[in-house]
Structures are given as structure tokens and as C-alpha cells.
Amino acid sequence: MPAVSKGDGMRGLAVFISDIRNCKSKEAEIKRINKELANIRSKFKGDKALDGYSKKKYVCKLLFIFLLGHDIDFGHMEAVNLLSSNKYTEKQIGYLFISVLVNSNSELIRLINNAIKNDLASRNPTFMCLALHCIANVGSREMGEAFAADIPRILVAGDSMDSVKQSAALCLLRLYKASPDLVPMGEWTARVVHLLNDQHMGVVTAAVSLITCLCKKNPDDFKTCVSLAVSRLSRIVSSASTDLQDYTYYFVPAPWLSVKLLRLLQCYPPPEDAAVKGRLVECLETVLNKAQEPPKSKKVQHSNAKNAILFETISLIIHYDSEPNLLVRACNQLGQFLQHRETNLRYLALESMCTLASSEFSHEAVKTHIETVINALKTERDVSVRQRAADLLYAMCDRSNAKQIVSEMLRYLETADYAIREEIVLKVAILAEKYAVDYSWYVDTILNLIRIAGDYVSEEVWYRVLQIVTNRDDVQGYAAKTVFEALQAPACHENMVKVGGYILGEFGNLIAGDPRSSPPVQFSLLHSKFHLCSVATRALLLSTYIKFINLFPETKATIQGVLRAGAQLRNADVELQQRAVEYLTLSSVASTDVLATVLEEMPPFPERESSILAKLKRKKGPGAGSALDDGRRDPSSNDINGGVEPTPSTVSTPSPSADLLGLRAAPPPAAAPAPAGTGNLLVDVFSDGPAAQPSLGPTPEEAFLSELEPPAPESPMALLADPAPVADPGPEDIGPPVPEADELLNKFVCKNNGVLFENQLLQIGVKSEFRQNLGRMYLFYGNKTSVQFQNFSPTVVHPGDLQTQLAVHTKRVAAQVDGGAQVQQVLNIECLRDFLTPPLLSVRFRYGGAPQSLTLKLPVTINKFFQPTEMAAQDFFQRWKQLSQPLQEAQKIFKANHPMDAEVTKAKLLGFGSALLDNVDPNPENFVGAGIIQTKALQVGCLLRLEPNAQAQMYRLTLRTSKEPVSRHLCELLAQQF
């Protein structure tokens, strides 16, 4: 080993690392580490004071041992002592140890903060940077509270060195991301924005990152940055590679700063100042022009930097969507990349063109590349590129090219990757419906979809075609003929049998005149598929058979023979058996007139928006809205759009309020809960499998809580008498709720199960059920660490007068929670009268000797005690008028914070607790609900009406109850969910 100097090399550390690397086994490594730990511990506890070099060396060894995966429980104080050293290397090691090992709740945090304050005040740029790096690395709320006011001052101080400004900007960015409320930028805003004019490019780069993050929350405060960003971008774009030598990367001047500036400009609309806008347009044109120039280097780094700026420029052009010339030029530039040899460029070009296709200025330019995109769909090796090609074909589709695109996508579907087949099916179904010129083409397309990829045709797709055929008289005969021919294939998909059974049962009489499709032939054809189908499809076919008896009396004897067969009347499936018995009796007892009335043709379905598009948006994710919703480009395309999907009676669709966690299933056999792993502590709680968990049997209301957990009391009220209730601490004994407490509470307004809180130490899960004015909640506390929690004490606190409004009885939990283990706490809840504030959950314990505490808002809100109420339209309006006093109504008009999806909205309203009433509101897009809030003292009736405005992305919510505070509180709770 070469000789190293004592000052910097730390020979002892090098020898120790060498010994560890030379260990032949894990046991040998542990033995060597234990020996070293014992030596270090003796040195730290010895009578002889250690010099700075020795402290640094031993702290480095501890840090290395920790990085190998071993726990370190001493040496923290020595590391803190290193912070007071005047030697850079010693101070650096001290900060490094603290950044990695010291917990934000450590008892040493005050000493650390004092050392950091001393270094920040020292005006030594090296020491200041080390302190700022430590603050950013730890990033805790405590450090944010201690230094959030000092860092902006350092950032804008005139005498701060450039390196310090860079570190201060990035440190402030880290604190803002961790705790936005701690960064007061009001007085510093203008001076921070002015950093964009700084001479040092590193300072500008750090400042742009900070401003981009800050302006997303407060865009008006930082709007002056637009002109400065344009000015700085103009200077970079127009400069030669020799002008910014220190920041030129492979002949591209300041590529990272250019990209950051372009992203910052995407946070704002186009500049209103004509001079600034003109200068920005000139910059964008310059970037597009440079993309056409021959490359100055053959190195891949040159092309990567150049293309990064180009694609960010195109993103800004798309964001503005106001410069037709730039949009077309951007489209042409992307078109050149579609045939580039680099796969990543082809992918990015396809992705960007998807967005360009939605612009009225560039849509026609995008369509000129249709052949190239179709070729990419057929020949690309990478499935992700093929998927982007399919997205682009979908985005560029309009009336003029719909048939070509749909036929190409159908052709590709035969060989498409299984991962994207369902998405392709949805897109083909949407395009065929949206741009259908004649309905026969639409029917052919959907039947082809089922033939080619039947397994991937969801219920929404074939429901939709049935709805359209039912609503359109001119296509019913063609649909019956086409589906009859499709069923003659030796092997046809079960979805085709479903569609054929429904259409022939409704409109088979339209083709019965042809001997080749006479009634007996139709019945024989359908019945030949019967034994190959699932129970749901067989049930649908039985419904078709009884329809045939009404349409074709000559088939009555044959069909009755099938229904009378033992295979049907004694079928093991109760649904099939019941249908066979009822249909046989109906056909035998009912007169012809009665039979015709009962089995008359399905009426047209009400016109509503198709849910296929909503399904595709959910599949693509929240960022897919612009690419999927291309209605502004072709506003006249309303051929077949609208209409709900018919749901045949044979298909059972679970209600959105269904008990997805199995709470109402039969109780599983008692078993000891399996120990949870530290990776996912609540997996056994929220899984669908037969885990040992509390379950609610389908018992009457008065016995709701009596079957939750053996041994059980005899009545629900007895559940509230805990033999050993835990005394609640007073509100003054606990700290304030965590900053995100309200956000966490809002997540549970419309659901009862999930993860309430999680940090690096603890995970808290909730599972609850409410019935009338009673409820039971299970809290699951998971220790995510390998260290045991001591003195673990979760308690429920009633702030204010809540004790008289809500009774919460808790059961004690174990005072120790082992590492990686989970404990459960049961809460029995009774609503005494209406309340506005939730109870607080205070959790206290000791971790590694340090006290830990947190306070959360328990997810118990007044809507949990909703009893859904069904009522007719007349009763609803009568009750609505009775609740017409001003104090009984609460109304709120607010902007949508989430995508406006009708199915999601319906699920949230059902989760909120009210019953949804159909055919009450004259506008079918509105939602009307009713329910009763059950308390021990009284019942509070509640009516609600939610009016979505998709065009304005707004909601109007109106609630009327018999108590004014309840109206306002429910209105606030529900409005936050949308």
C-alpha cells in the first residue's frame, strides 16, 4: 500500500477498509467490524482526549460501517464536536456523518443547529457551503424552522460568494419541497427573481430551479421572471460556443440552463408585452434554425444536448399554442425525427406530435405524416414506440382519414403486443363511434374487434354497440344479419355470443324472412354455443330464448324442451336454475298478450356520454387528457356519441359502494395475525385474501357491532362499555396536528379503509365500518424499523365540546412494538349528536431512547353516520321545498381539482354516504342524493344536488338539511373531494 500522509489520508481507515474487503465470509466481516467497534468505543470513552485527526478517522470508520448495513448507536457526539473544528477536512467529515446518521428528532439537533448557525455567520464561503449542504441533506422541518429565514438573506446578500449563492438557492429549494409553509418569500421575491441577471451562470441555473418550483404555487408573485428569463435565454441562444466557454458542453452553450429557462416559461401564458414576446419568438425560431444546421461534432453528447433544447423548445411552442408558423415548423422538425436511427428520438417525436395533433393550427401538418406513423406501427421493434405510434394515429384521426386509421389499427391488432391490445381496442371503438359516417361500418368494426381480440374487448365496448343498435332503427336489421353471419364461424368468441344473443333476441325477426336465417336456424345456431359459454352468457342466452318464444311462436315447443331439461331445472348455478324455472312457467302460464307485454322490445336508451373514453383516460393516466380529448378540433363529430351502456340483466356489476375489503363477508376462522414485514406492513390488512382480520357479518342493524370480534357483547350498546377504557389526555397535553393532517383526513371522507399516515418510522392503517349512529374502527400501527418502540401509547383526544357529541372508547395496546411488527387497536364509536370537528389521535413512543410524538385527525366525520334514503322524485321535491329556509341551505361553487369523470363522481357520492336518486333532476348530468344522519339525540335529514359543468370545469354543490351547521359542514367536506 502506498504511503499516505497523516493529515489527509487516514492510513488507519485505509487499512480497515482493506481488511473488510479481504474478508472471505460474512462471519469474518462481522468479527472484524465488532473488533473495530470495540476499539473505537474504548477510544471515545478513554481518559486521554482525542485530537481532531483521530476523531475524524474514527467517525469515518463508523460512517463506513453504517454504509455496510450495520447499526451505529454511538459516536454522534464526537461528530458534532468535529463541527467546531477550523479544519475543513474535519468539519467536512462531521457534516457528512450528521447528514447520514443523525435523525431529525435527535437530542443533538440543538447543538447541530448552533454549529450550523456559527458557520453561516462565519462569512467563510467554504464553511457556509458545508452548512447549507447539511441543511439540504437533512431537510427536516426542524431545520427548516431554524434556518428558513436566514437562507433567503444569504441568497440575496450582495457580499455572498457565487458558490454560496448556488448552495443557498438549492438548499432553499429542498426546504420548500419538504415544508412549503416555512419559506416566507414575500420580501425576498423581487431580489430572488433578479438573480436571473446574475453574471455567474451557476447562480442563474440554481436560481431558475428555485423560481420554477416557487412560481407553481404563487405564479403572480414571480410573473416578473418571464421577461428576465426571455432576456437570459436570448443571450444564450444567440451566443457562439466560444462566448460561454466555461458553460459550453460539446459546442452547445449552457444546455442545462437553456432547458430550465424553457421549462420556467412553460409555467406562464405567452408574454403580453409585444417586445418580450417578439424576442421570445425570435429565440424559438433560432433554436429551430440551429436544429437544421449540420452537427459541429459527431459525439453523441453533442446531439443529446442539442436535441434536449429542441424538444423543450417544441414543448413551449405547444404550451403557448398561439403561433401557427412555429407550430407547423415544430411539426415538420418532429417529422424528420420519425425516421431517425435513434429509437429515443423517434419515441420523443411521436410523443410530442400527439400533443401537436390536438392544436387547430398544426393538426393538418401532423396528418401529412400518417404513412410514416403507420409504418412505425408495423415495423418498430420497441413496443413503447409502437404504443406512441398508436397514440399518434388516434390523435390525428378525423373524418377524412378515420376509415384508413381504423383499418390499419385493426390490422395491427392481429399481431399487437398483449400489453397494449386492450388500449388499441378502446381507441378503435372510440374512433369508430366518433367518426362513423354510416352505422353499418361501425357495426362491422366492433364485430371485427371482437373477432380479432375478443379477450380484450371490455364490457363497455360491447354494451356500447348494443346501445347504439337499440337506439338506431336503420341499423338493426343490418346488425342482426351481420352478427348472425359472424356466429356461423366454427369458433367465435364468447363476447360475440353475448352480442349475438342480445341482438337476435331483440331484432332477429328482421331477418327471419330469409330461409337461411329462419327462427329455428337462429335458435339452433345460438344453442350450439350454449354449452361452451360461461354462466353469465348462458343466463343471457336463456333470456334470448324466452324472447324467441314471443318473436317466433313456432319455436315455443323446442325452447320449452330446452328449459324443461334436467340440465337447466336442476342446474348447480342458482341463477340459471331460477331463470329456467321462471321462463318455463312464464311461457306456459301467460297468455300471448301478457307474454308480448312482458317481453316487448327494449326501449331506446337515454342519451349520455360514452364511458369508453373515460375508461381509456383512466387507463392512460391523468396526463392523457389533451391527447384523448380532441373535441375542439372537430366539433361537429356527434354522430353516435352519447348514450349509456346497456347492462344486460345477466351481468352482475358491483355497486361502487360495495364492501371491497370483505367487511361483510362471513367471519374467517380465528387465527393469529402473521407478522408483517417492514416493506409493506399493512399488506395483510388490506389484502383481498382470507387474512385473519375483523369482519362484519350480514347481521341486522341492532346486532351490527356484536359480531365483529369474539367474545362479543349481546347488543351494539354493550360494545361501547369497554371494561378497561383508556383515559384520554387533555388537548393541552398534546402537540398540534401534523401539517398534512387536514389533507390526510380529506382522503377518508369518502372511504373507510387505507393508510392514514406513514413516515420513516411508523405506518398507521385504518379499517372501519359504520352503521346508524355506531361505528367500529381498527387502527393498525406498524413499526417500519428494526428497533423496538418503547412506551408506545396511542390515545384519542376530544377537543372542545366534542366529548358531549361523540363517544370514542379505545382499547389498550402493547407498550412495546418490536421492529417490523404490527399492533392493532380497536375503537368503538357512538355519535351522540351532530359534530363539526374530528377527534385527535395522539401517538407517543420512544425510539432509540429519543421521545417521538405525533398528532393526527382521526378519520371520523359526520357523514360517516349517513343512512342512505331512497325516495321518489315527488317526495324529493316536496322535502326540498320544506327545507327552503336560508339557514338550512349551504351552497358552494368551485373549480374542479380533479378530472371530471361521471363514474368517479358517482362513486365518491356513494362513498360519502348518501343514496343517489335516478330520474329526479331534469338534467341527467346532475347528481341528486338523499340520506339521514343518525345520532343518538336526533336524526338530521339531508338532501344534496351536485351540478357539474364540464365545459367550465366547475361544480355547484347545494345541500339542505334540517340543521344549519350541518349543512355548511357537509358542504365543505364534500366540496373538497372534487
Side-chain angles (χ1 to χ4, degrees), residues 730-775:
E732 66 279 357
D733 298 330
I734 64 172
V738 296
E740 64 271 25
D742 289 329
E743 180 183 348
L744 297 173
L745 178 69
N746 287 336
K747 287 166 48 180
F748 284 84
V749 169
C750 294
K751 68 175 184 178
N752 291 333
N753 312 294
V755 177
L756 175 62
F757 175 81
E758 185 170 11
N759 63 10
Q760 67 271 26
L761 302 180
L762 179 67
Q763 184 187 56
I764 303 177
V766 176
K767 189 171 187 180
S768 55
E769 179 93 348
F770 297 86
R771 200 76 60 80
Q772 294 190 1
N773 71 313
L774 302 178

Side-chain angles (χ1 to χ4, degrees), residues 12 25 28 43 139 184 193 290 308 321 324 402 451 556 568 591 603 651 670 715 814 846 855 939 970 972:
S25 64
K43 295 291 185 182
V193 171
K290 286 186 175 182
D321 195 21
R451 178 182 60 82
K556 180 175 181 178
Q568 306 305 330
S591 65
V651 180
S715 71
R846 296 187 73 85
T855 304
Q939 295 181 338
L970 287 177
E972 289 294 330

Side-chain angles (χ1 to χ4, degrees), residues 388-401:
R388 293 288 82 78
D391 290 344
L392 180 52
L393 283 176
Y394 175 83
M396 69 168 62
C397 187
D398 60 15
R399 255 181 228 289
S400 64
N401 56 18

